[in-house]
Amino acid sequence: MERSLTDRSENRPSGWQAVKLFLQGAVAALARDAEAWGLAPGAALALAAMPVVATLVFVAAIPFPALYLGLVDEDALLEWLQFACILAAGLVFGWLGVRLARTGRRGLGALYALLALGMLFVAGEEISWGQRLLGLQTPAELDAINAQHEISVHNIFGFHQAFIYAAMLGGLYGAASPLVKLALPAAWRRSKLAYLLVPPLCLAPAFFMPFGYRLVRLLFKPELYYPARAFIIVDFAELTELCLYFAVLAFGWLILRRAPGREDQ
């Protein structure tokens, strides 16, 4: 018995070996999923690494006030990238909804149409429905109940938390569903329905960004412990939203590349 236990301990991988095996398995799973989506391994790896690179750029800009404000300020780069991504995603999902409805998948077509409408609504909210571009004044009734005193719904007192939780749930679904799919039977993983409902594995990190960020803030409230960095912690939300919108757009575009047509019925 002692010899058997000793042999088992000797055969057990070390901490570094376990990490190495995990990373090898993750890369292999990413490569298989990328191939199924028609993506080159390098492209899938780039999509997976995108949130890390974006976070490094964000952090690198912090010591440079002009550059930092050019990223996170109102009507700055991140906000317009958010608008562009979610607007494009809404158009892509709307077109996919029409195509699915035409090929007999009316339920999925309706779902995609609803998602598209939601994305277009979010796009309008991101730029306050063009208020600053058009020089519009906030109506007095809305100004009194809006945290940012602008023409938007998500900043109305009582609605903001609902939008936060919606983004968290969307991010959680996009991050977790590709992992859950790995554990399902191969027949379902390769079904056309799976591709229409579950994002590729390479987009899981981007989807995870808003969920992980909000979860950390809700549980640990880091802005209270680091008041001098509170504005940076709060501003980081802009980057996580961009990651979410980009992931949604990339998911829609990859579905479109698979050209769902009559063969998907």
Side-chain angles (χ1 to χ4, degrees):
M1 179 63 72
E2 291 181 1
R3 181 180 180 83
S4 177
L5 291 174
T6 302
D7 291 342
R8 289 181 184 178
S9 64
E10 289 177 352
N11 292 329
R12 187 178 302 161
S14 65
W16 168 244
Q17 289 174 327
V19 171
K20 184 178 179 181
L21 289 173
F22 172 79
L23 291 176
Q24 288 175 341
V27 170
L30 183 67
R32 288 193 300 269
D33 190 73
E35 183 180 6
W37 279 93
L39 280 171
L45 188 60
L47 288 171
M50 186 270 292
V52 177
V53 175
T55 298
L56 292 176
V57 171
F58 181 92
V59 172
I62 292 173
F64 307 96
L67 177 59
Y68 179 77
L69 291 176
L71 290 176
V72 303
D73 212 1
E74 290 285 355
D75 296 321
L77 180 63
L78 287 182
E79 185 171 277
W80 281 107
L81 286 176
Q82 290 170 4
F83 171 75
C85 283
I86 199 63
L87 176 65
L91 296 176
V92 169
F93 272 79
W95 175 235
L96 285 168
V98 171
R99 294 182 66 171
L100 287 166
R102 285 178 177 175
T103 57
R105 290 181 176 267
R106 295 181 181 177
L108 277 173
L111 174 62
Y112 272 48
L114 286 174
L115 290 173
L117 289 174
M119 294 171 198
L120 295 176
F121 174 78
V122 172
E125 286 284 298
E126 285 296 338
I127 59 170
S128 302
W129 301 98
Q131 178 178 11
R132 290 179 293 277
L133 287 175
L134 301 175
L136 302 176
Q137 293 294 321
T138 305
E141 296 82 359
L142 183 58
D143 184 75
I145 60 174
N146 190 291
Q148 293 193 1
H149 308 288
E150 61 186 15
I151 300 175
S152 64
V153 175
H154 74 283
N155 287 313
I156 293 176
F157 300 116
F159 281 90
H160 187 60
Q161 286 298 109
F163 277 82
I164 287 176
Y165 290 131
M168 285 184 69
L169 289 174
L172 177 61
Y173 174 82
S177 57
L179 299 176
V180 172
K181 190 176 79 168
L182 294 176
L184 296 177
W188 196 90
R189 292 200 309 268
R190 296 167 185 164
S191 69
K192 296 178 176 65
L193 184 61
Y195 288 105
L196 292 170
L197 295 178
V198 181
L201 187 60
C202 61
L203 293 178
F207 273 110
F208 181 77
M209 287 285 283
F211 175 77
Y213 166 75
R214 289 295 180 182
L215 186 64
V216 168
R217 284 193 61 188
L218 288 172
L219 293 179
F220 303 107
K221 303 187 184 305
E223 63 272 21
L224 299 182
Y225 294 98
Y226 304 97
R229 294 287 182 266
F231 70 97
I232 296 174
I233 295 169
V234 173
D235 286 342
F236 192 71
E238 300 297 327
L239 181 62
T240 68
E241 289 177 14
L242 176 59
C243 287
L244 175 63
Y245 300 160
F246 173 81
V248 172
L249 172 59
F251 180 33
W253 176 250
L254 289 171
I255 295 173
L256 197 61
R257 284 176 75 245
R258 291 180 61 87
R262 296 194 176 277
E263 67 276 10
D264 289 318
Q265 296 185 51

